[in-house]
Amino acid sequence: DVCEVPEVDSKLVERLGQRLLPWMDWLSLEHLNPSIYVGLRLSSLQAGAREAFYLHILKLNYQQRLLGLAVDDDSSNNQAKPSMGQLALYLLALRANWSNHKGHPRTSYYQYGLGILALCVHQKRLHDSVVGKLLYAVEHDQHLQQDHLSVDTVAMAGLAFTCLEQSNLNPNQIHRITQAISTVRQKILKAQTSKGHFGNVYSTPLALQLLMNSSMPGEKLGRACLKARAALLASMQDGAFKNVLIISQLLPVLNGKSYVDLISPDCKAPRVLLQPAVETPSQTQELISVMLKVPHALQPYRHRISVPAGASLEDVLKKAQELTGFTYETQNSLSGPYLTSVMGKEAGKRKFWQLLQAPDTPLLEGIADYTPKDGQTIELRLVSW
Ligand code: B12
C-alpha cells in the first residue's frame, strides 16, 4: 500500500506560490528566509531570475554571518541575530553533546532533526551517537511529547531518518533507523483527525512529505493519504495557507517532493514561471470588536478592542497598545513575528506566551496571520513547553 498525493488544480498551487513572490524582493536580514527558496525549488513553480538573485543574497548574508563579520550598517539591530552563526554553533553542539543520551537537546528535537537532515542531504556523515540521540527520542517518545508539536517534530525526525536510510550513512544503525521510520509513520497515521489532517492543518504538509511515496503492508496508508490530500485541498480553498513558511513546506508536497529529494535535486525539471497576483483591495469599513485579556499578568488586563473586519491579531495588539494600557514585544522568526513579552513580562526559558481563543482553544496561527472574528475573546497565557 503506497502513499500517493495525486495532482491538485494548478491554479490553486499557483496562488500559493504567488504568496511567496513578494518575499523574493525583501532582502533585509529580517526577511531573508531560506525555507522559501527550498520550497520553491521543490515545487512545480519558479520565480525566474529573482531566484538566483535570492540565493546569491542568502549566501552572502549567511557566509558573512558565519564568518562573524558584523554587517556594518545601522539597520543591523539586535533582532538580526546571526542565525546562521547559531546554526554553526548548533552543528558544533551536535558533536559536542553527543555523549548525552538523556535530557533535551539545546534547542528542540525539531531543530535537532532538521540539523541532521540538512547535514545528511549534504552527505555529511555524523557520529552514530548523534543519530542515536534522535533514535532514542523516537523510541522513548515521552521526550517528543510537546503536545501540539509532536506531529511536526516526529515528521522532521522521520525525514532525517529517511535520508540516512537512503544514503546509508550510518550502516551500524540501519536496523534501528528503519524501525524508527516505521514508528514515525504509525505515530503520524494515529494522529489523523476525522477531517483528515495529520495533527493539525499546518503539520499536515510535513507529515505528507514524510509519508509520501512510502509504502506499508495493509491498506491503511493509501487511504489515509488520499483523505489528507482532500483535507489539504479544502483548507487551501478556504484560504488557510497564509504563512510563507508553511506554504514553503506545502509546495513540495503538491509537486510530489520532500526535503529528502534534496539528496540529488532534479535541476532540470520544468517549473512554471510565477506571475505576481493582482490584488483587489477589500473595501470594507465594517468594524468588529474583540475582547483581549491577559488574566494572569501582574496587572491583569481586559479590554474590548475595535478593529476593521479582516484585521490580524497583531493589529488588535497594536490598537490595544495605542489606546489602552496594553504592552507587548515581538521577535522576528522564519514563521513571522513571535510574541516574546506581554505586559512587561518576558516569556523566559522554556515558557511561551500562548495564544488562545477563550476559554481554552489554542490558536493554530501566529499573531500576524490569525484574523479574529467579531465578538471573540482572545487570551494570552504564559505557559511552559
Ligand atoms: Co509553534 N508553531 N507555536 N512553537 N512550532 C509551529 C510553527 C506550527 C507550524 C505548528 C503547527 O501547528 N503545526 C504552528 C504555526 C502554524 C502557522 O503558521 N499557520 C505553530 C503555532 C501555531 C504556535 C503558537 C502560535 C501556538 C499558540 O500559542 N496557540 C505559539 C507561538 C505564540 C507566540 O507567538 N508567542 C507556538 C509556540 C511554540 C513553542 C512551543 C514555544 C515552540 C518554540 C520554542 C523553541 O523551540 N525554542 C514551537 C515550535 C518548536 C514549533 C515547531 C515544531 C518548530 C519551529 C522551529 O524550530 N523551526 C513548528 C513546526 C513547523 O514549523 N512546521 C511549530 C525551525 C527554526 C530554524 O526556525 O524561525 O528560527 P525559526 O524557529 C523559531 C520560530 O519558529 C518560533 O520558535 C522557533 C525557535 O525559536 N516559533 C514560532 C515557534 N512556533 C511559532 C509560531 C509562530 C506563529 C511564530 C511567529 C513563531
Side-chain angles (χ1 to χ4, degrees), residues 101 127-140 157-158 161-162 164-165 168 170-184:
H101 233 161
H127 198 282
D128 275 352
S129 47
V130 174
V131 175
K133 184 167 174 133
L134 194 61
L135 284 168
Y136 184 91
V138 169
E139 289 157 358
H140 305 77
F161 293 144
T162 306
L164 293 174
E165 187 186 49
N168 201 20
N170 296 76
N172 296 330
Q173 286 180 305
I174 195 67
H175 295 300
R176 264 176 97 193
I177 290 173
T178 306
Q179 183 54 45
I181 294 172
S182 132
T183 307
V184 164

Side-chain angles (χ1 to χ4, degrees), residues 107-108 110-111 114 146 148-149 152-153 200 202-203 206 240 243 245-246 249 333-340 351-356 362-367 369 385:
T107 54
S108 59
Y110 182 92
Q111 293 202 19
L114 184 58
Q146 295 169 9
H148 76 288
L149 304 177
D152 302 79
T153 304
N200 66 34
Y202 301 116
S203 42
L206 269 189
N243 187 279
L245 184 106
I246 298 293
Q249 295 179 344
S333 77
L334 300 185
S335 295
Y338 179 75
L339 191 60
T340 52
K351 290 199 164 175
F352 76 108
W353 279 104
Q354 189 179 36
L355 322 175
L356 302 113
L363 303 185
L364 297 182
E365 293 175 298
I367 56 169
D369 295 325
W385 56 275

